[in-house]
Amino acid sequence: ERPFVIELTGPPKAGKTTTKEKLQQLIRRNGFLIEAPEEGAEAVTWAKRLDPEYNLQTGEYALSATRELCYGSKHKSFHVVILDRAVYDVVFRMEYNRMRGKITDARQRAIEDYFLLDVNRAMFDCHIILVADPHVALSREKAHALSKKDVETMNANALVEITDAHQRVWQRLDCANDPKLLWRDTSNESPEETSAAVLAFALDRLDARLKAAAAATK
């Protein structure tokens, strides 16, 4: 009916991009067709990335791309879709914006409710939240960077606040009891270990979807 859809999200330098690349390679080598839409951060060219409107735009871009791949003319052209940031990314970012006083409590909850509507979440099979200790994330960034200068979201204070926002949402929404969600701390893992854990979780979700589909046809 539609491809198997995975969202990868989390604070910077937690391993999303590397994990996405490893999953894409594995899926393709096993003969499955995969689509990985351009990340919203690359597609949306706003200058002020710390503005809440920027996160709204990237979230709407991800939703639109997912909806087209799930229900549009090419919905049977791919087996798997992987998105680097989608609906839960907006939820986490709006919590961060609320903590910074950029939006009101009411606006934050209204945006959260919209992105987590059943009609939106129904398109996703799993949401994988990769996090890392802020100091580990910062060291990963600076290990290969030509410039060691801190930037807007890649500095110790911002990383602590962004990670805290993720933890607050995870607890407030009781995400640990949502079978579609995985929280994975990559601080002490190799990229291969993280990717293997993510793959195992995704395969469990695929198995659950296949069983549900089989039961529905009986």
Side-chain angles (χ1 to χ4, degrees):
E1 295 179 359
R2 64 165 178 80
F4 185 83
V5 181
I6 302 168
E7 174 188 8
L8 289 169
T9 188
K13 294 300 171 182
K16 296 183 300 298
T17 300
T18 302
T19 300
K20 179 181 176 183
E21 290 171 353
K22 288 185 177 296
L23 289 178
Q24 285 179 264
Q25 183 185 62
L26 177 68
I27 291 166
R28 287 196 176 104
R29 284 185 175 180
N30 280 277
F32 294 98
L33 299 176
I34 184 171
E35 175 70 359
E38 184 179 18
E39 182 187 354
E42 302 298 328
V44 178
T45 57
W46 286 23
K48 296 182 179 180
R49 292 196 169 195
L50 292 182
D51 286 355
E53 290 77 10
Y54 171 79
N55 299 124
L56 275 177
Q57 183 76 347
T58 58
E60 289 167 351
Y61 159 83
L63 266 184
S64 178
T66 306
R67 193 168 286 114
E68 178 63 28
L69 289 166
C70 285
Y71 306 122
S73 59
K74 296 182 179 180
H75 75 281
K76 292 186 178 181
S77 300
F78 306 102
H79 299 110
V80 180
V81 171
I82 301 181
L83 292 109
D84 191 338
R85 305 187 184 280
V87 294
Y88 268 94
D89 183 69
V90 181
V91 173
F92 293 129
R93 292 287 175 167
M94 288 304 156
E95 177 74 11
Y96 174 60
N97 282 313
R98 185 194 63 78
M99 290 166 60
R100 295 169 60 232
K102 292 287 187 177
I103 58 174
T104 64
D105 291 0
R107 178 166 293 186
Q108 181 255 327
R109 291 299 175 89
I111 294 170
E112 179 179 291
D113 289 345
Y114 166 70
F115 278 92
L116 296 184
L117 281 172
D118 290 346
V119 68
N120 291 329
R121 289 218 50 208
M123 296 186 292
F124 293 85
D125 293 282
C126 54
H127 308 267
I128 294 150
I129 300 93
L130 300 181
V131 300
D133 179 274
H135 299 291
V136 172
L138 196 58
S139 66
R140 288 174 178 172
E141 168 67 12
K142 293 188 175 182
H144 304 290
L146 294 176
S147 172
K148 306 303 181 183
K149 183 179 179 181
D150 288 345
V151 293
E152 288 177 321
T153 57
M154 189 48 67
N155 62 76
N157 289 336
L159 285 171
V160 168
E161 292 176 354
I162 293 170
T163 303
D164 183 53
H166 281 68
Q167 292 171 337
R168 289 166 67 96
V169 171
W170 182 266
Q171 294 170 0
R172 177 167 56 79
L173 298 182
D174 194 24
C175 293
N177 288 315
D178 187 330
K180 283 189 175 185
L181 271 64
L182 172 69
W183 177 280
R184 188 78 183 181
D185 189 332
T186 70
S187 301
N188 299 310
E189 291 184 338
S190 69
E192 290 74 22
E193 288 173 324
T194 301
S195 299
V198 169
L199 177 64
F201 179 76
L203 289 174
D204 283 343
R205 295 309 309 155
L206 175 59
D207 187 53
R209 178 171 160 186
L210 292 174
K211 288 179 179 177
T217 61
K218 291 181 179 179

